[in-house]
Amino acid sequence: MRLGCGAYAAGCVVIEVLGVALFLRGFFPAPARPEPEPPAAPAAPEPLAGTARSGPSAPPPLFRKVVIMLIDALRDDFVFGSKGVKFMPYTTSLVEQGAAHSFVAEAKPPTVTMPRIKALMTGSLPGFVDVVRNLNSPALLEDNVVTQAKAAGKRIIFYGDETWVKLFPKHFVEYDGTTSFFVSDYTEVDNNVTRHLDKVLKRGDWDVLILHYLGLDHIGHISGPSSPLIGRKLSEMDSILMRIHTSLLSEEREALSPSLLVLCGDHGMSESGGHGASSLEEVNTALLLASSAFERKPGEARPPERVQQTDLAATLAVGLGLPIPQHSVGRFLFPVVQGRALREQLRLLHLNAVQLSRLLQVRVPGYKKEHGFEHFKISERLHGNWVRLYLEENNAEILLNMGAKARKQYLYTLKALSQALSSQEAQYDMYSMVVGTVVVLEVLALLLLSVPQALGATAKLEVPLSPVCSLLFYVMFLLLWAMHMVVCTSTESSLYLCSLAWPMAGGVLALVSALLCGVLSTLTRMCLRGKFLRRNRAPSHWKWSELDFLVLAGTAGHVLSLGASSFIEEEHQTWYFLVSTLCLALSHESYRSCFLGDDEEPEHCPRVAGEFAGAASALQGRSVSCDVLELDRARQSPSPLDGLRGREKCMALAGPWLVLGCCRLLRSLNQTGVQWAHRPDLGHWLTSSDHQAELSVLAALSLLAIFALVQSRCSSVAKGALALGLLGVYCYRAATGHVLSPWQQDNKDVSR
Amino acid sequence: MKNADIKRLLYTHLLCIFSIILSIFIPSFFLENFSILETHLMWLCICSVFVTAVNLVLYLVVKRYPNPKNISTVHTWGISYVCKWFYFLCLFRLSCNFVLYGAPLIELVLETFLFAVILSTFTTVPCLCLLGPNLKAWLRVFSRNGVTSVWENSLQITTISSFLGTWLGAFPIPLDWERPWQVWPISCTLGATFGYVAGLVISPLWIYWNRKQLTYKNN
């Protein structure tokens, strides 16, 4: 069977896409959507050894009000480092006085705002897929603190980054979103949040207040973490924190129940001011919990404890008396409940442990062997014993000792469970990644091997269907199937390919083996032909010219340069540079053949002209292959007319310079990249409203030029359609107000 | 014949290299605050003057290049006049090329011009001295299998290597390394200088290595 060139290439592309899709499916940890929801059980009762006496159904909230002040890109050293001491005196004094617990919360990459907000509110770890959804974040459907609070009848107010409003569209009783699109604005974006503060702090009709300040992140993006603007912004944030805290304290005196103020960052800031990766500066964020309920001896200076960012969701849920979000992998921050009674502490620890172990049961098939789960069973038993003793009102000292032991056991359990769950989230599906890579590499090999045959529009490629090949195919298929079985039965974690229905998995394996057979047969055929050729001593006419070398080296060099991020940022510069070089080399070639080759080969000059036209059309990305064909025909036809040759000569000599000039114009038409993007360019000049007339003239001229260039190859009907279409383009632009329309001008005059 | 030529070639090239080294060290005795990076334009001028002088002295005064035609003094003056025009034309062409390659059109004109001066010092001046204002000869030398003597071969190598050095030197300009030498045209001039020196060193060695294979039409 023989296959056309186009069908072959299309097939290869389709299979390539399939391979890439398989790889991506393995690379991105599967989103947690399809997993069965753990039953939304009512709060687990206190474990009571033996008897079934029910304790209090759900623990009461620890705090009456919670204020979350989220500052974008609040790195840990902005609060706890030297900068914090200098610019955030109130916050530092809070920590020193013992009215606040300080933590360094570790954010998991990707350190981008939306996945971080999700992590803070759901306690789960959003994967890299969420970066793609960052700009267009749909509503958060997973179980989270905000939804729980809304369901519990809490009134939530939000001011700040509008990502929150998109994530929680119907949750806030009042909100005002600010956009993070204008990165150069770092003042207004925060004032728009702060302006509501006075009003809101005075009224007491809310339970949760969330503030998200974007200014610090914007400053980081503009001028980096060492800019003097950072200090000013931190002082501003400190004064805001002071306002909120004093207002909360004065309110507490009347209401008698404590409130909680959370200061946190969603991600850090790298040394260049960006974020998104996993460097230490980007990952470490500050987390500060302040409340009058905390009792810590003042002056007890200790470095902030390292915790996970996901722990905040559980902490907030505990603080507000809500059930912990189902997918949360965090454990609540124990210092928050340190001042409470032992029974309450154990109860809250138990709730968190139950939630984590339920999640573990859903996610990990062999959960019973898991280290954390065994410890969970032990601590639950200890807890039960303690409760029994407590209800029997036993000796206080024994109670205290046993309680401390149970608490220690619980804390250890929570740590183990949380670690097990987080490591489980970060696993790649190696099997599908390997299969995807193999498919892609096989297609690549097949394409590379068939290049010599495929050069030419009418080439046919042979599909190997010989008995040897089919035997090889069956053997390969059986081998792969056996391997598949071994892999699927031996691993415990869920693999995508194993979870597929068997015909699908079989199809993929058949594809892999078929491709392998194709590669092998092409390879053997090539080897045979090479031997044949060598025996026949066929002389090769292929000779490397400088231009061939230049094109090849330029392509390879451009590809290689994309390995460095500096080159990626300014990729267009490399492109322009290489194109200019190619044009200069072409012009040198044409000059040489036109001036020197005259006495030897008079045919040379038009040939270069044709070559050049082909190259130029390839550069412009247009398919002017017919032009080249016409040139070819002109070359073949015996036309020794000197005039024509003169014109072609001129074209060949002037062409490269024309293209070079156009490239230079292109370069200044639109400054892109990173370093020079802010510089003025022709595009801005044209689109500014002062130069509308110039833009209109230019647009009209270009449309006319398109018509003039295309019309010679069209029938009269097509010509008319083309003209109408181009006129329509202009009219559309005039209607949207980009260019002037002559009729509009008249109307204006008339109306005047 | 050939070996003696190669030896002379080596000596002249060493003199050229020596002149470039001198242009780096001598001005610091007379001028304060002279450094290649900070007072770059000054160095450009001095370097091009030195190299031009050495080239002129070597090629025209010593006249060890076998002149094919017997030209009278009047003719020599006429030729030198044409040479000047050629030189300025080359300067203009090079400047145009730089702008086409992306150099700023209106700002930094002096820098662009001086860069053209030094690059043409490395390339055009030796060509003019050796080949005279003869476009066909130039094109012949810079095409494959066109050279007719050791001198032309070395000219080809040094010119190509200076252009190559310039070309490679342009790459770091847009990158974000934030080094002082990434400013237009410093990295390009440094690239050109390194390329020229490398060409001066390589060409005698290469010709000596391949002296068996090299056959020239006229020799």
Side-chain angles (χ1 to χ4, degrees):
Chain A
M1 197 177 100
R2 283 173 160 261
L3 211 59
C5 207
Y8 183 77
C12 280
V13 167
V14 167
I15 297 170
E16 188 101 20
V17 167
L18 192 81
V20 171
L22 252 179
F23 178 85
L24 288 181
R25 184 64 181 73
F27 185 69
F28 291 120
R33 309 280 173 276
E35 84 181 17
E37 291 275 314
E46 266 186 315
L48 280 170
T51 55
R53 275 167 60 181
S54 56
S57 61
L62 303 176
F63 305 105
R64 202 171 57 87
K65 280 187 174 181
V66 171
V67 180
I68 302 170
M69 184 174 166
L70 199 160
I71 300 175
D72 219 281
L74 187 71
R75 212 159 83 173
D76 59 334
D77 67 323
F78 286 165
V79 182
F80 308 127
S82 60
K83 269 194 184 137
V85 175
K86 196 169 162 196
F87 299 113
M88 303 190 85
Y90 187 77
T91 316
T92 315
S93 75
L94 274 183
V95 175
E96 277 170 3
Q97 284 163 17
H101 291 293
S102 53
F103 304 94
V104 174
E106 187 187 329
K108 286 270 186 291
T111 48
V112 187
T113 298
M114 194 197 64
R116 290 305 101 216
I117 294 176
K118 282 188 180 174
L120 282 169
M121 288 300 118
T122 64
S124 58
L125 295 169
F128 272 94
V129 183
D130 273 342
V131 180
V132 184
R133 304 191 202 138
N134 195 354
L135 291 173
N136 179 28
S137 47
L140 186 58
L141 299 172
E142 243 177 288
D143 191 13
N144 60 73
V145 179
V146 177
T147 312
Q148 294 276 12
K150 172 111 195 310
K154 308 264 183 203
R155 295 170 61 82
I156 313 166
I157 293 181
F158 171 75
Y159 301 117
D161 188 359
E162 63 182 1
T163 313
W164 285 78
V165 183
K166 283 179 195 153
L167 281 175
F168 308 107
K170 287 177 184 159
H171 297 67
F172 306 124
V173 290
E174 196 183 315
Y175 62 82
D176 181 14
T178 57
T179 175
S180 64
F181 196 72
F182 302 104
V183 178
S184 53
D185 164 34
Y186 51 82
T187 324
E188 285 303 316
V189 76
D190 285 355
N191 288 345
N192 281 343
V193 178
T194 315
R195 63 180 173 169
H196 301 284
L197 214 54
D198 272 330
K199 207 173 58 203
V200 162
L201 288 176
K202 256 178 220 151
R203 3 182 286 226
D205 60 342
W206 48 269
D207 303 296
V208 180
L209 172 64
I210 303 173
L211 307 168
H212 188 146
Y213 284 99
L214 284 168
L216 189 69
D217 185 45
H218 288 187
I219 291 176
H221 282 301
I222 298 167
S223 53
S226 50
S227 120
L229 293 172
I230 295 268
R232 236 176 288 158
K233 183 52 85 180
L234 287 178
S235 316
E236 182 193 332
M237 292 294 127
D238 192 50
S239 66
I240 292 167
L241 187 93
M242 185 166 79
R243 259 166 74 187
I244 299 172
H245 193 237
T246 45
S247 138
L248 283 179
L249 282 181
S250 67
E251 215 171 284
E252 271 170 29
R253 264 177 231 123
E254 298 154 20
L256 288 174
S257 87
S259 48
L260 176 70
L261 170 58
V262 180
L263 172 74
C264 62
D266 56 347
H267 50 73
M269 189 189 288
S270 69
E271 276 313 308
S272 60
H275 56 87
S278 54
S279 73
L280 213 58
E281 290 89 9
E282 286 158 279
V283 160
N284 286 345
T285 67
L287 173 61
L288 193 93
L289 304 174
S291 169
S292 57
F294 300 154
E295 296 158 4
R296 250 182 56 204
K297 290 180 198 106
E300 187 192 342
R302 53 174 184 182
E305 200 184 329
R306 289 191 68 86
V307 296
Q308 293 295 317
Q309 201 176 35
T310 44
D311 297 348
L312 187 67
T315 315
L316 286 175
V318 164
L320 286 165
L322 306 169
I324 297 171
Q326 287 164 7
H327 300 291
S328 158
V329 298
R331 52 206 165 106
F332 76 93
L333 301 168
F334 186 70
V336 172
V337 298
Q338 232 161 16
R340 317 293 289 199
L342 192 54
R343 184 175 186 185
E344 206 174 333
Q345 286 182 16
L346 287 179
R347 171 103 182 92
L348 293 172
L349 284 169
H350 177 239
L351 282 179
N352 198 348
V354 167
Q355 176 261 328
L356 285 179
S357 64
R358 269 191 198 145
L359 194 61
L360 193 74
Q361 285 177 32
V362 173
R363 291 220 176 132
V364 185
Y367 66 93
K368 283 206 170 118
K369 276 177 267 172
E370 200 72 48
H371 186 59
F373 194 75
E374 287 167 2
H375 277 274
F376 170 63
K377 285 292 164 209
I378 298 172
S379 36
E380 207 170 29
R381 211 169 50 235
L382 276 174
H383 187 189
N385 287 337
W386 184 87
V387 171
R388 203 182 56 220
L389 283 176
Y390 179 81
L391 291 177
E392 288 166 6
E393 283 158 29
N394 237 312
N395 188 345
E397 199 175 329
I398 298 176
L399 262 183
L400 202 66
N401 281 343
M402 272 194 71
K405 199 176 164 196
R407 185 172 64 196
K408 205 170 153 195
Q409 184 66 38
Y410 262 131
L411 286 176
Y412 184 78
T413 306
L414 286 182
K415 197 173 169 188
L417 282 174
S418 172
Q419 262 172 8
L421 282 167
S422 324
S423 67
Q424 199 260 332
E425 289 248 356
Q427 262 174 8
Y428 297 126
D429 184 353
M430 282 309 269
Y431 185 43
S432 34
M433 276 166 76
V434 167
V435 172
T437 317
V438 165
V439 169
V440 169
L441 286 181
E442 279 174 350
V443 172
L444 186 69
L446 210 55
L447 276 177
L448 282 181
L449 287 177
S450 53
V451 159
Q453 303 168 47
L455 289 176
T458 53
K460 295 269 183 196
L461 291 146
E462 214 163 302
V463 176
L465 288 173
S466 65
V468 180
C469 267
S470 48
L471 183 68
L472 188 70
F473 169 74
Y474 288 128
V475 170
M476 281 303 303
F477 182 63
L478 279 179
L479 267 178
L480 283 174
W481 191 251
M483 207 186 68
H484 179 72
M485 284 300 168
V486 169
V487 168
C488 280
T489 47
S490 62
T491 55
E492 285 165 4
S493 54
S494 65
L495 296 177
Y496 176 67
L497 276 179
C498 299
S499 64
L500 277 178
W502 66 267
M504 292 278 283
V508 171
L509 294 180
L511 188 68
V512 171
S513 39
L515 283 173
L516 196 67
C517 289
V519 170
L520 284 179
S521 73
T522 322
L523 209 61
T524 44
R525 218 181 310 139
M526 272 188 77
C527 285
L528 287 179
R529 197 177 302 145
K531 244 182 216 164
F532 180 72
L533 277 182
R534 226 172 295 141
R535 212 174 293 149
N536 281 12
R537 284 249 156 241
S540 73
H541 292 288
W542 183 254
K543 216 174 166 189
W544 284 80
S545 76
E546 288 94 341
L547 272 179
D548 291 329
F549 177 75
L550 190 72
V551 168
L552 263 182
T555 312
H558 197 184
V559 169
L560 284 182
S561 80
L562 295 182
S565 65
S566 317
F567 277 97
I568 294 175
E569 280 174 3
E570 307 291 335
E571 191 201 341
H572 57 290
Q573 305 264 19
T574 321
W575 190 86
Y576 281 130
F577 197 69
L578 292 176
V579 167
S580 310
T581 309
L582 184 64
C583 280
L584 274 189
L586 277 172
S587 86
H588 179 234
E589 186 85 10
S590 57
Y591 271 71
R592 200 168 62 194
S593 49
C594 285
F595 285 119
L596 284 186
D598 263 352
D599 6 309
E600 297 154 22
E601 300 165 75
E603 295 282 299
H604 225 77
C605 191
R607 191 183 74 82
V608 174
E611 224 172 59
F612 177 73
S617 68
L619 286 177
Q620 287 160 2
R622 286 200 271 126
S623 60
V624 205
S625 49
C626 5
D627 275 351
V628 181
L629 281 182
E630 274 164 25
L631 266 176
D632 282 353
R633 233 173 284 136
R635 193 199 313 157
Q636 283 157 10
S637 63
S639 59
L641 284 172
D642 275 350
L644 183 70
R645 270 193 56 205
R647 232 188 87 208
E648 276 187 2
K649 200 168 175 174
C650 279
M651 246 183 69
L653 294 184
W657 299 103
L658 208 69
V659 175
L660 267 175
C662 287
C663 276
R664 183 68 181 88
L665 204 68
L666 259 185
R667 193 193 270 259
S668 53
L669 192 66
N670 184 17
Q671 303 271 10
T672 75
V674 175
Q675 286 227 302
W676 321 97
H678 60 277
R679 300 194 46 169
D681 52 31
L682 277 178
H684 278 124
W685 186 83
L686 277 175
T687 48
S688 73
S689 52
D690 306 340
H691 304 105
Q692 214 176 15
E694 284 92 332
L695 183 66
S696 318
V697 171
L698 202 65
L701 279 181
S702 344
L703 291 176
L704 277 179
I706 291 177
F707 182 74
L709 286 175
V710 178
Q711 55 96 24
S712 60
R713 269 177 291 159
C714 296
S715 67
S716 55
V717 181
K719 263 181 211 172
L722 182 71
L724 275 180
L726 292 176
L727 199 66
V729 169
Y730 191 85
C731 289
Y732 168 72
R733 286 293 167 193
T736 52
H738 288 103
V739 296
L740 293 174
S741 88
W743 306 285
Q744 217 171 348
Q745 201 76 30
D746 293 345
N747 284 351
K748 262 185 205 162
D749 291 341
V750 168
S751 64
R752 256 182 230 151
Chain B
M1 172 65 192
K2 218 189 226 173
N3 277 343
D5 255 1
I6 292 174
K7 208 178 257 175
R8 280 202 302 189
L9 188 76
L10 182 67
Y11 289 145
T12 53
H13 281 188
L14 284 180
L15 260 176
C16 285
I17 296 173
F18 187 62
S19 75
I20 290 179
I21 294 172
L22 275 188
S23 77
I24 297 172
F25 289 110
I26 284 191
S28 53
F29 293 117
F30 303 104
L31 299 168
E32 282 178 26
N33 303 327
F34 178 85
S35 75
I36 291 184
L37 287 189
E38 278 152 36
T39 52
H40 189 70
L41 297 184
M42 176 74 84
W43 175 72
L44 276 190
C45 299
I46 293 170
C47 185
S48 44
V49 167
F50 269 59
V51 174
T52 314
V54 167
N55 266 313
L56 287 180
V57 166
L58 283 178
Y59 283 102
L60 295 181
V61 179
V62 179
K63 273 194 184 172
R64 8 109 269 148
Y65 173 64
N67 215 335
K69 298 160 201 162
N70 292 322
I71 304 164
S72 64
T73 333
V74 185
H75 253 98
T76 316
W77 280 114
I79 283 179
S80 69
Y81 184 73
V82 177
C83 276
K84 254 182 230 158
W85 278 109
F86 240 76
Y87 180 71
F88 285 115
L89 212 69
C90 277
L91 276 187
F92 182 70
R93 269 281 313 274
L94 281 174
S95 302
C96 282
N97 273 4
F98 298 152
V99 171
L100 284 177
Y101 259 83
L105 183 63
I106 300 159
E107 310 145 40
L108 303 175
V109 175
L110 185 67
E111 277 85 348
T112 309
F113 175 73
L114 284 179
F115 176 40
V117 167
I118 195 158
L119 192 59
S120 56
T121 311
F122 290 152
T123 54
T124 316
V125 169
C127 284
L128 278 176
C129 294
L130 204 60
L131 305 173
N134 181 356
L135 197 68
K136 272 203 170 175
W138 288 31
L139 278 169
R140 176 176 54 79
V141 170
F142 293 111
S143 49
R144 195 188 282 179
N145 303 329
V147 289
T148 54
S149 75
V150 173
W151 299 94
E152 286 182 359
N153 206 338
S154 84
L155 186 72
Q156 191 186 23
I157 290 172
T158 49
T159 310
I160 288 175
S161 69
S162 338
F163 276 123
L164 204 66
T166 317
W167 191 78
L168 288 174
F171 270 100
I173 293 180
L175 304 185
D176 59 348
W177 300 340
E178 320 220 326
R179 295 294 145 89
W181 46 263
Q182 274 183 293
V183 187
W184 169 255
I186 296 182
S187 66
C188 279
T189 50
L190 292 185
T193 316
F194 282 126
Y196 181 56
V197 171
L200 289 179
V201 174
I202 288 169
S203 60
L205 297 179
W206 192 82
I207 292 169
Y208 183 73
W209 245 204
N210 296 314
R211 64 186 186 284
K212 297 272 155 53
Q213 286 93 320
L214 288 176
T215 46
Y216 300 115
K217 278 181 195 167
N218 296 9
N219 283 20

